[in-house]
């Protein structure tokens, strides 16, 4: 059977065809010719699931090297939905995705999706993660701005799971790129928010929340569409006011501001018909939507209680839901004993309460009952 005929049969039948004694280089060349559009992504999945991994590795790499933006998007989405790639394929495929992402001659859409695919594979491959980190650190601010915008989001996801000062510095550089400014600023804000939520002292929490608020405000200034940045900033405004003892009678107005922001953002997080990409560090919008809605509803239940104890309850609710939202949007995946992926939310110390109201004399934070 001619190799091109075999590829067509693989695509038409969708099952594990007998590859016979077709040379791997010949199979790879034929796969490269069929790598475009949805059929290219379908061929990638068929080859990835084929039992003869040793015969299909080169063909898989060839598809990754020649996929257009539509094929690459579908491939990255399949990986994000939990598509499994044999260990035999991972190193070669990971390098191929990273090389496509770094290729400035390719369009930004293909590069962005290739970077996403590389990140998903790197989540369970330590050596690939190191390569990905190195490539993110090598990002050039003069590169295509829209690609850098997507790269900033990937860098933020990696930073959440592998904190590193040099990657924070790179995101700070990307915040000076016009097309990537708001994305980089939000990621830096989330990084500072994580520090604040994990703080064990009031001073550390306030310092981190102040930095987070500054980054979220910068994201808002960069574009009018960052409803998430506005929502995080509004929440932090309330938490910091509470901690600093500014617990006046404007509590209902503050709650109303946060509640409206939460509902606006949950409406923005539209539900689509595609299967959620639960295996990607970038995607946890459904769970995030639930927690933002919960925050809005729980805050609404205390709007009629304008008192110091009400402020304490509001702050506790907000801190709890902010932690839940953050954990929803930043999920860790580790390899279990059976070789599969296990889902572990980032663990923040919930036994501590760094956010307690400070009285006007600066006495130690109050403790709730």
């Amino acid at each position: 059977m001619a190799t091109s005929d075999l590829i067509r049969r693989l695509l038409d039948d969708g099952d594990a065809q007998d590859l016979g004694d077709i040379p791997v280089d010949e199979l790879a060349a034929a796969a490269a010719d069929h790598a475009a559009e949805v059929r290219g992504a379908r061929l990638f999945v068929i080859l990835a699931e084929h039992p003869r991994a040793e015969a299909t590795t080169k063909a898989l790499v060839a598809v990754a090297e020649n996929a257009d933006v539509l094929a690459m998007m579908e491939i990255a989405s399949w990986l994000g939905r939990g598509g499994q790639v044999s260990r035999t394929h991972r190193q070669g495929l990971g390098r191929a995705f990273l090389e496509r992402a770094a290729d400035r001659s390719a369009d930004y859409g293909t590069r962005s999706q290739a970077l996403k695919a590389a990140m998903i594979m790197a989540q369970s491959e330590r050596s690939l993660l190191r390569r990905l980190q190195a490539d993110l650190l090598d990002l050039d601010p003069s590169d295509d701005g829209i690609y850098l915008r997507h790269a900033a989001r990937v860098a933020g996801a990696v930073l959440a799971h592998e904190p590193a000062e040099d990657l924070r510095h790179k995101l700070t550089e990307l915040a000076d790129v016009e097309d990537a400014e708001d994305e980089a600023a939000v990621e830096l804000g989330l990084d500072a928010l994580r520090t604040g939520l994990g703080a064990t002292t009031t001073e550390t929490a306030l310092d981190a929340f102040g930095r987070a608020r500054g980054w979220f405000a910068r994201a808002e200034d960069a574009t009018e569409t960052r409803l998430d940045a506005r929502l995080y900033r509004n929440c932090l405004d309330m938490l910091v006011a509470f901690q600093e003892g500014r617990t006046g009678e404007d509590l209902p107005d503050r709650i109303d501001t946060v509640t409206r922001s939460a509902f606006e953002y949950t409406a923005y997080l539209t539900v689509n018909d595609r299967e959620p990409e639960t295996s990607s560090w970038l995607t946890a919008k459904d769970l995030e939507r639930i927690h933002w809605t919960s925050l809005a509803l729980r805050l609404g239940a205390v709007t009629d209680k304008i008192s110091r104890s009400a402020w304490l309850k509001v702050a506790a609710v907000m801190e709890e839901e902010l932690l839940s939202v953050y954990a929803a949007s930043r999920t860790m995946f580790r390899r279990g004993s059976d070789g599969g992926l296990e889902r572990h939310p980032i663990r923040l110390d919930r036994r501590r309460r760094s956010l307690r109201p400070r009285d006007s004399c600066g006495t130690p934070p109050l403790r709730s009952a």
Side-chain angles (χ1 to χ4, degrees):
M1 181 191 304
T3 309
S4 57
D5 292 335
L6 172 62
I7 295 292
R8 281 192 288 272
R9 285 189 59 184
L10 284 171
L11 287 168
D12 292 341
D13 298 343
D15 58 8
Q17 292 284 336
D18 180 10
L19 299 179
D21 57 357
I22 296 176
V24 293
D25 290 335
E26 187 176 328
L27 180 62
D33 291 337
H34 294 78
E37 301 184 344
V38 175
R39 285 172 66 85
R42 189 159 178 267
L43 177 60
F44 180 93
V45 173
I46 291 169
L47 291 171
E49 295 177 340
H50 199 283
R52 287 188 57 189
E54 81 288 349
T56 58
T57 296
K58 281 194 173 183
L60 264 178
V61 171
V63 174
E65 290 174 339
N66 292 276
D68 60 4
V69 62
L70 182 56
M72 193 67 79
M73 179 175 66
E74 291 298 325
I75 290 169
S77 180
W78 177 75
L79 291 169
R81 295 193 302 272
Q84 295 296 305
V85 173
S86 168
R87 185 171 294 278
T88 304
H89 303 317
R90 291 176 191 166
Q91 290 296 324
L93 266 180
R95 288 194 296 271
F97 286 135
L98 287 174
E99 288 170 4
R100 289 300 304 277
D103 182 6
R104 291 201 186 191
S105 66
D107 64 273
Y108 70 82
T110 302
R111 298 175 65 196
S112 297
Q113 294 300 319
L115 186 64
K116 174 184 173 182
M119 183 207 69
I120 295 169
M121 295 192 66
Q123 290 170 188
S124 58
E125 288 290 321
R126 200 71 182 172
S127 60
L128 281 180
L129 180 59
R130 291 291 176 253
R131 290 176 183 270
L132 173 62
Q133 290 171 311
D135 282 11
L136 291 173
L137 292 176
D138 285 340
L139 288 170
D140 186 346
S142 68
D143 203 340
D144 182 275
I146 302 178
Y147 170 68
L148 291 177
R149 175 184 179 83
H150 182 86
R153 189 161 177 248
V154 171
V158 172
L159 180 64
H161 296 83
E162 297 284 331
E165 195 58 40
D166 49 4
L167 197 50
R168 290 189 184 95
H169 179 71
K170 177 57 65 174
L171 277 167
T172 302
E173 287 184 8
L174 295 180
D176 292 328
V177 177
E178 183 177 0
D179 288 329
E181 180 180 5
D182 67 298
E183 199 67 58
V186 165
E187 293 301 337
L188 287 164
L190 289 172
D191 178 59
L193 175 63
R194 176 185 60 82
T195 300
L197 290 174
T200 56
T201 67
T202 299
E203 291 72 20
T204 302
L206 282 175
D207 178 70
F209 288 151
R211 286 185 282 111
R213 188 194 179 287
W215 284 117
F216 291 137
R218 180 167 173 179
E220 282 187 272
D221 291 340
T223 175
E224 297 179 354
T225 60
R226 292 310 306 223
L227 299 177
D228 53 346
R230 180 192 307 168
L231 179 50
Y232 277 117
R233 181 180 58 78
N234 288 336
C235 289
L236 289 170
D237 283 346
M238 283 194 68
L239 284 176
V240 172
F242 168 74
Q243 175 58 38
E244 292 178 345
R246 293 184 279 112
T247 54
E249 295 187 357
D250 61 345
L251 180 60
D253 291 337
R254 288 178 178 271
I255 288 178
D256 183 61
T257 297
V258 172
T259 301
R260 280 189 288 105
S261 294
F263 281 129
E264 285 176 4
Y265 185 50
T266 54
Y268 175 78
L269 293 173
T270 55
V271 180
N272 58 49
D273 295 332
R274 295 174 68 91
E275 184 180 348
E277 297 178 19
T278 55
S279 294
S280 169
W281 284 347
L282 293 177
T283 310
K285 295 302 183 186
D286 289 340
L287 189 55
E288 187 181 351
R289 182 185 301 108
I290 291 171
H291 287 298
W292 280 126
T293 302
S294 175
L295 172 63
L297 294 175
R298 292 177 69 185
L299 289 179
V302 296
T303 55
D304 58 339
K305 302 175 183 178
I306 308 173
S307 65
R308 193 175 183 82
S309 61
W311 269 94
L312 180 60
K313 182 174 182 180
V314 167
V317 166
M318 190 168 297
E319 188 179 3
E320 180 180 345
E321 292 297 344
L322 269 177
L323 189 147
S324 297
V325 168
Y326 184 88
S329 62
R330 290 290 183 261
T331 304
M332 297 188 74
F333 292 83
R334 296 173 181 157
R335 187 155 296 282
S337 58
D338 61 352
L341 292 178
E342 294 180 339
R343 188 171 182 270
H344 296 276
I346 292 177
R347 296 187 183 277
L348 299 174
D349 187 356
R350 302 185 65 165
R351 292 172 298 177
R352 69 99 180 94
R353 274 288 183 264
S354 62
L355 293 175
R356 300 294 185 205
R358 186 194 303 273
D359 67 20
S360 59
C361 296
T363 55
L366 297 175
R367 296 192 178 278
S368 59

